[in-house]
């Protein structure tokens, strides 16, 4: 190819690349603009006349109290979380040799902190990335001007002008929820074992008040886990043709029915974990007695 033809070709390539870069930038700009416009444009603070702030405020209160208690119990409350045969679910499975009663001793005395820290990260991340909690805390803390949070309710103005949903870092990380779900299945095995042990005393199998406390704990946790969106996907959501797998279809229908109440199970199970912990601590401290029912 003659030299001037080759130069022309190079120029054309440079021009094409420049146009492509410009188009990508414009598209990016346009995407942001479209997303911003797609959010409700509300002139005043809200179009609502009812007490729309009640629900987000209640969620803020509920999450603050339960998280504050669980953090205190897991980080500082390193005594009294075991009262035979009960172990606080915040510490279970207890993996350190420093545990009052170890489930499996895999972490030696070198670990100087609360043994709860070895396990509580998983339920925290599981709940933090849960679809229901995401909706709840985006709305609840949408009362504050936090980027990408809000709106706190329908027909209430956005606290921040730009919104990219969960398409960008760090919100993109919410998509790893399903992997926390898989890990939590292991955690549920230990909680189930703790519940079985809650019926077994030195003098045999009995039902005490504590046994029922643990039964409610595992029931609410199981409902929360079974109604999870990732569970729904796992049991049948990946199928294109249900006619070829009737069992999966039945399972998927069952989980879908539970999924309708996932928010309620999420709150109930979160509430009952500190209740169970508190019960164990009060029994361990001798403040209340663990009444034998039969
Ligand atoms: Fe809530 Fe999975 S969506 S636990």
């Amino acid at each position: 190819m003659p030299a001037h033809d080759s130069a022309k070709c190079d120029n054309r390539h440079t021009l094409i690349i420049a146009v492509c870069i410009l188009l990508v930038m414009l598209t990016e700009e346009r995407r942001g603009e479209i997303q911003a416009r797609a959010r409700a444009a509300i002139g005043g603070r809200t179009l609502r006349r009812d007490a729309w702030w009640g629900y987000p405020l209640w969620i803020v209160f509920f999450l603050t109290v339960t998280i504050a208690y669980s953090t205190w119990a897991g980080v500082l409350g390193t005594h009294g979380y075991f009262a035979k045969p009960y172990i606080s679910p915040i510490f279970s499975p207890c993996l350190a040799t420093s545990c009052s009663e170890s489930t499996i001793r895999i972490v030696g005395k070198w670990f100087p902190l609360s043994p709860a820290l070895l396990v509580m990260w998983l339920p925290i991340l599981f709940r933090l990335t849960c679809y229901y909690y995401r909706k709840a805390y985006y709305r609840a803390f949408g009362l504050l001007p936090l980027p990408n949070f809000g709106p706190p309710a329908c027909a209430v103005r956005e606290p921040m002008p730009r919104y990219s949903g969960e398409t960008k870092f760090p919100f993109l990380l919410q998509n790893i929820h399903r992997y926390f779900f898989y890990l939590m299945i292991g955690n549920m095995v230990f909680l189930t074992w703790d519940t079985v042990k809650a019926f077994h005393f030195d003098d045999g199998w009995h039902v005490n008040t504590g046994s029922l406390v643990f039964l409610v704990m595992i029931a609410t946790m199981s409902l929360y886990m079974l109604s999870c969106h990732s569970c729904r996907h796992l049991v049948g959501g990946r199928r294109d043709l249900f006619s070829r797998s009737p069992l999966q279809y039945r399972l998927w229908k069952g989980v879908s029915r539970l999924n309708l109440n996932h928010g309620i199970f999420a709150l109930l199970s979160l509430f009952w974990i500190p209740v169970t912990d508190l019960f164990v601590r009060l029994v361990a401290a001798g403040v209340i007695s663990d009444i034998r029912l039969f």
Side-chain angles (χ1 to χ4, degrees):
M1 185 189 289
H4 66 275
D5 280 359
S6 163
K8 248 194 229 170
C9 200
D10 281 351
N11 285 343
R12 210 176 302 145
H13 279 144
T14 313
L15 191 66
I16 290 170
I17 291 168
V19 169
C20 285
I21 291 173
L22 201 64
L23 274 176
V24 168
M25 284 169 62
L26 284 176
T27 314
E28 184 70 18
E29 185 68 16
R30 184 90 183 107
R31 205 183 299 146
E33 189 189 318
I34 289 166
Q35 276 173 344
R37 275 198 202 157
R39 309 290 284 169
I42 296 172
R45 185 162 177 246
T46 176
L47 303 177
R48 304 273 293 260
R49 285 163 190 243
D50 59 340
W52 59 267
W53 40 265
Y55 176 74
L57 214 58
W58 184 82
I59 290 287
V60 168
F61 171 76
F62 179 77
L63 291 183
T64 308
V65 171
T66 47
I67 291 171
Y69 177 86
S70 304
T71 309
W72 167 81
V75 178
L76 299 173
T78 50
H79 295 288
Y81 58 85
F82 179 76
K84 203 176 179 190
Y86 312 125
I87 180 167
S88 158
I90 295 177
F91 284 77
S92 180
C94 216
L95 302 176
T97 45
S98 61
C99 296
S100 308
E101 178 82 5
S102 301
T103 315
I104 316 170
R105 289 170 200 265
I106 53 174
V107 177
K109 283 210 169 79
W110 56 265
F111 188 74
L113 305 173
S114 163
L117 294 176
L118 295 167
V119 286
M120 66 190 288
W121 60 271
L122 178 57
I124 289 175
L125 290 175
F126 177 60
R127 287 189 190 261
L128 200 68
T129 54
C130 160
Y131 288 61
Y132 170 74
Y133 283 109
R134 271 143 73 179
K135 183 186 90 171
Y137 66 74
Y138 285 151
R139 287 188 179 182
F141 294 98
L143 295 168
L144 306 169
L146 293 169
N148 252 13
F149 277 53
C154 296
V156 178
R157 196 173 62 198
E158 295 285 337
M160 300 290 275
R162 288 183 74 82
Y163 176 81
S164 59
E166 293 178 339
T167 59
K168 290 186 180 159
F169 182 84
F171 294 94
L172 199 59
L173 294 178
Q174 302 276 32
N175 289 308
I176 55 179
H177 176 68
R178 77 179 64 171
Y179 301 105
F180 292 133
F181 172 78
Y182 302 148
L183 291 174
M184 272 298 288
I185 294 173
N187 190 282
M188 285 297 290
V189 171
F190 288 107
L191 292 182
T192 307
W193 179 238
D194 293 341
T195 306
V196 172
K197 284 203 303 183
F199 288 84
H200 192 244
F201 301 84
D202 287 340
D203 56 343
W205 294 91
H206 294 283
V207 179
N208 280 19
T209 327
S211 319
L212 299 184
V213 170
F214 272 75
L215 200 59
V216 174
M217 184 274 293
I218 202 65
T220 50
M221 277 302 296
S222 302
L223 287 169
Y224 177 48
M225 288 285 292
L226 286 171
S227 62
C228 169
H229 292 68
S230 298
C231 179
R232 187 165 174 253
H233 176 75
L234 186 71
V235 298
R238 299 162 298 148
R239 285 269 162 206
D240 290 332
L241 275 178
F242 272 133
S243 53
R244 290 203 188 140
S245 27
L247 178 64
Q248 265 191 303
Y249 178 62
R250 273 206 294 276
L251 285 173
W252 179 82
K253 287 269 279 183
V255 172
S256 299
R257 261 197 295 274
L258 288 177
N259 183 262
L260 294 175
N261 294 311
H262 185 59
I264 295 170
F265 300 142
L267 296 180
L268 278 178
S269 59
L270 181 63
F271 172 69
W272 207 256
I273 292 289
V275 167
T276 311
D277 177 90
L278 187 63
F279 177 85
V280 174
R281 285 173 193 279
L282 293 178
V283 170
V287 177
I288 57 171
S289 37
D290 182 29
I291 299 165
R292 167 87 26 111
L293 300 175
F294 50 91

